[in-house]
């Protein structure tokens, strides 16, 4: 499964610093707008302590975690929807992602200029929201002109459905609301909505980039952001990008843990963000474990066994017979597949089994 999250925000809010921490890539990071022109793409692993524990028991040839792509998109500015600051190019890059990580500057530093002169994360959020909404409104208006006549003639049911979806989106966007605030009940409407690829329909995490002293507790800026997004039901995550960059430079796990303890954090902000992005996309992990490898596989929450088998290979789904399932806790408790079998805790499941996060799976198939 190829999954992408796009990092957006105004210039100089810490996007590229955060991207570098996440991917260990070295995107150019400088104290002026439009430092990032082409989007940087990094493939990052999803932290999963379960893989390491299983590796200790199975001793595989390799451990393969699941991954998410992170795209660092250049800073947007007011007027981006009309092409300001190379805005059209940047907005096109966002359209290709599955979710948005919206970075907000929540720290004071006279040495780091702000494109609008003062630090105000709520204002910054509204600027980005407005530009994305305006671009979506343009998309909706263009599409309405194409389908209006066909929909009103009444012969094309799908066109009529899409027309209704477009009208609902236009009403929300004209009120300054994002497309994600509009909910559709029928599968036909949901399919039509998804096919529009609207920027503000994508799920979002707001990342408050704070100074090191505020990394564990947040600050007044963060409080204002939480209040501003309360009605959206969106997740707000606090991290100090520069502190995360310092942690990433440390060579050993022990050094990184000591650093985290010093700043009062149980886990790095980058790890928390990756896990949050993974969950935001409604994703979970099943695992295959053997002598050759212990490997994590990504699937959508609610998928059944044949669909998950298809993640490994399409032939597995086509010829699915059954799935042998071991719960992670049972595997750890008994120490091996053989011991789990002997304890009678290996479950044989059919086509209707809904896979659970952390299931250790072995698929039987015939093609």
């Amino acid at each position: 499964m190829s999954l992408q999250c796009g990092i957006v925000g105004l210039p100089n809010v810490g996007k590229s610093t955060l991207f570098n921490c996440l991917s260990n890539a070295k995107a150019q990071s400088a104290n002026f707008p439009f430092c990032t022109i082409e989007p940087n793409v990094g493939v990052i692993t999803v932290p999963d302590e379960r893989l390491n524990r299983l590796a200790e028991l199975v001793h595989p040839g390799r451990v393969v975690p699941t991954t998410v792509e992170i795209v660092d998109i250049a800073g947007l500015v007011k007027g981006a929807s009309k092409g300001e600051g190379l805005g059209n190019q940047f907005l096109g890059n966002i359209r290709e992602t599955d979710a948005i990580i919206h970075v907000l500057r929540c720290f004071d530093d006279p040495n780091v200029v702000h494109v609008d002169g003062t630090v105000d994360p709520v204002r910054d959020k509204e600027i980005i929201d407005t530009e994305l909404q305006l671009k979506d409104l343009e998309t909706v208006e263009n599409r309405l002109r194409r389908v209006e006549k066909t929909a009103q003639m009444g012969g094309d049911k799908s066109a009529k459905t899409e027309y209704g979806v477009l009208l609902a989106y236009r009403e929300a966007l004209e009120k300054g609301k994002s497309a994600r605030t509009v909910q559709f009940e029928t599968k036909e409407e949901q399919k039509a909505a998804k096919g529009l690829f609207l920027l503000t329909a994508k799920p979002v995490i707001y990342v408050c980039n704070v100074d090191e002293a505020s990394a564990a507790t947040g600050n007044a800026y963060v409080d204002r952001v939480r209040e501003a997004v309360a009605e959206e039901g969106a997740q707000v995550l606090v991290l100090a990008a520069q502190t995360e960059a310092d942690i990433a430079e440390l060579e050993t796990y022990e050094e990184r843990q000591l650093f985290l303890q010093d700043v009062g954090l149980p886990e790095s902000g980058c790890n928390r963000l990756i896990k949050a992005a993974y969950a935001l996309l409604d994703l979970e992990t099943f695992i295959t474990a053997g002598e050759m490898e212990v490997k994590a596989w990504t699937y959508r929450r609610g998928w059944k066994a044949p669909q998950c088998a298809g993640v490994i290979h399409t032939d597995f789904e086509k010829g699915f017979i059954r799935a042998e399932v071991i719960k992670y806790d049972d595997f750890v408790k008994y120490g091996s597949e053989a011991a789990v079998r002997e304890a009678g805790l290996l479950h044989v499941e059919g086509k209707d089994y809904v896979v659970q996060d952390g299931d250790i799976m072995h698929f039987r198939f015939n093609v």
Side-chain angles (χ1 to χ4, degrees):
M1 257 180 156
S2 179
L3 301 155
Q4 282 193 341
C5 294
I7 301 179
V8 304
L10 292 178
N12 297 341
V13 297
K15 299 184 314 301
S16 293
T17 302
L18 177 59
F19 172 83
N20 288 339
C21 300
L22 289 168
S23 65
N24 290 324
K26 298 299 176 186
Q28 186 184 7
S29 180
N31 187 20
F32 56 89
F34 311 123
C35 171
T36 306
I37 303 300
E38 294 299 325
N40 297 289
V41 180
V43 178
I44 61 174
T45 60
V46 178
D48 194 334
E49 296 79 7
R50 295 173 299 190
L51 299 182
N52 296 328
R53 184 71 184 98
L54 289 172
E56 293 173 359
L57 298 172
V58 178
H59 306 294
R62 60 176 184 166
V63 177
V64 185
T66 190
T67 61
V68 174
E69 284 189 357
I70 299 290
V71 184
D72 176 28
I73 298 160
L76 297 168
V77 293
K78 189 179 295 185
S81 61
K82 303 299 181 184
E84 290 295 323
L86 301 178
N88 283 329
Q89 179 182 344
F90 301 161
L91 290 169
N93 294 329
I94 301 170
R95 197 177 299 281
E96 298 173 3
T97 64
D98 300 293
I100 291 175
I101 298 170
H102 188 162
V103 182
L104 297 167
R105 177 172 169 176
C106 294
F107 66 90
D108 294 305
D109 187 341
N111 297 316
V112 180
V113 298
H114 191 290
V115 70
D116 285 324
T118 58
V119 177
D120 186 341
V122 175
R123 176 204 59 206
D124 295 352
K125 171 195 175 299
E126 290 172 351
I127 289 173
I128 298 295
D129 284 351
T130 298
E131 295 307 320
L132 298 183
Q133 289 164 8
L134 287 172
K135 197 65 179 178
D136 278 348
L137 186 58
E138 179 185 308
T139 299
V140 167
E141 294 282 11
N142 289 339
R143 188 65 189 165
L144 271 170
R145 284 192 288 270
R146 293 181 189 176
V147 305
E148 186 173 14
K149 287 184 179 179
T150 307
Q152 290 178 343
M153 289 173 64
D156 190 330
K157 187 177 179 181
S158 62
K160 189 175 182 179
T161 299
E162 183 180 354
Y163 185 67
V165 167
L166 288 165
L167 289 177
Y169 274 146
R170 183 173 69 178
E171 182 181 359
L173 291 164
E174 286 179 341
K175 293 178 179 177
K177 296 181 179 180
S178 294
R180 72 179 68 90
T181 63
V182 182
Q183 302 297 317
F184 298 103
E185 294 183 2
T186 71
K187 289 184 178 180
E188 291 76 17
E189 289 174 327
Q190 292 166 5
K191 183 178 179 181
K194 187 175 181 180
L196 295 171
F197 297 101
L198 297 183
L199 303 172
T200 63
K202 299 178 186 298
V204 62
I205 296 175
Y206 293 103
V207 173
C208 293
N209 182 17
V210 300
D211 58 278
E212 183 174 311
S214 305
T217 59
N219 56 30
Y221 290 131
V222 175
D223 294 339
R224 291 181 58 201
V225 172
R226 291 190 195 279
E227 184 179 351
V229 306
E231 292 185 1
E232 295 183 33
Q235 185 169 353
V236 176
L237 192 144
V238 179
L239 60 76
Q242 188 54 57
T243 302
E244 296 291 325
D246 294 339
I247 293 172
E249 292 294 325
L250 298 174
E251 294 186 2
T252 68
Y253 173 80
E254 288 75 16
E255 287 177 316
R256 291 191 289 272
Q257 290 303 112
L258 285 172
F259 196 124
L260 287 170
Q261 289 175 17
D262 287 343
V263 296
L265 294 172
E267 185 179 25
S268 80
C270 286
N271 276 10
R272 288 185 288 115
L273 176 56
I274 296 167
K275 290 177 179 179
Y278 194 67
L280 180 70
L281 293 170
D282 214 21
L283 303 177
E284 293 181 333
T285 300
F286 73 86
I287 303 168
T288 54
E291 291 183 0
M292 289 185 62
E293 66 179 15
V294 167
K295 185 169 182 175
W297 303 86
T298 298
Y299 70 97
R300 299 275 181 195
R301 184 179 294 117
W303 277 13
K304 295 182 179 180
Q307 290 174 286
C308 290
V311 173
I312 299 177
H313 197 287
T314 54
D315 285 349
F316 284 26
E317 182 173 8
K318 291 176 184 176
F320 179 88
I321 299 173
R322 65 180 183 273
E324 296 176 354
V325 184
I326 299 174
K327 297 300 178 183
Y328 169 78
D329 288 342
D330 289 338
F331 198 109
V332 171
K333 178 180 178 180
Y334 289 93
S336 70
E337 179 179 328
V340 171
R341 284 178 181 271
E342 189 174 336
L345 292 173
L346 184 146
H347 306 278
V348 177
E349 304 289 353
K351 293 181 178 181
D352 292 330
Y353 176 69
V354 178
V355 176
Q356 303 298 305
D357 185 53
D359 277 355
I360 300 168
M361 311 284 292
H362 182 72
F363 297 104
R364 299 292 184 181
F365 69 101
N366 182 26
V367 178

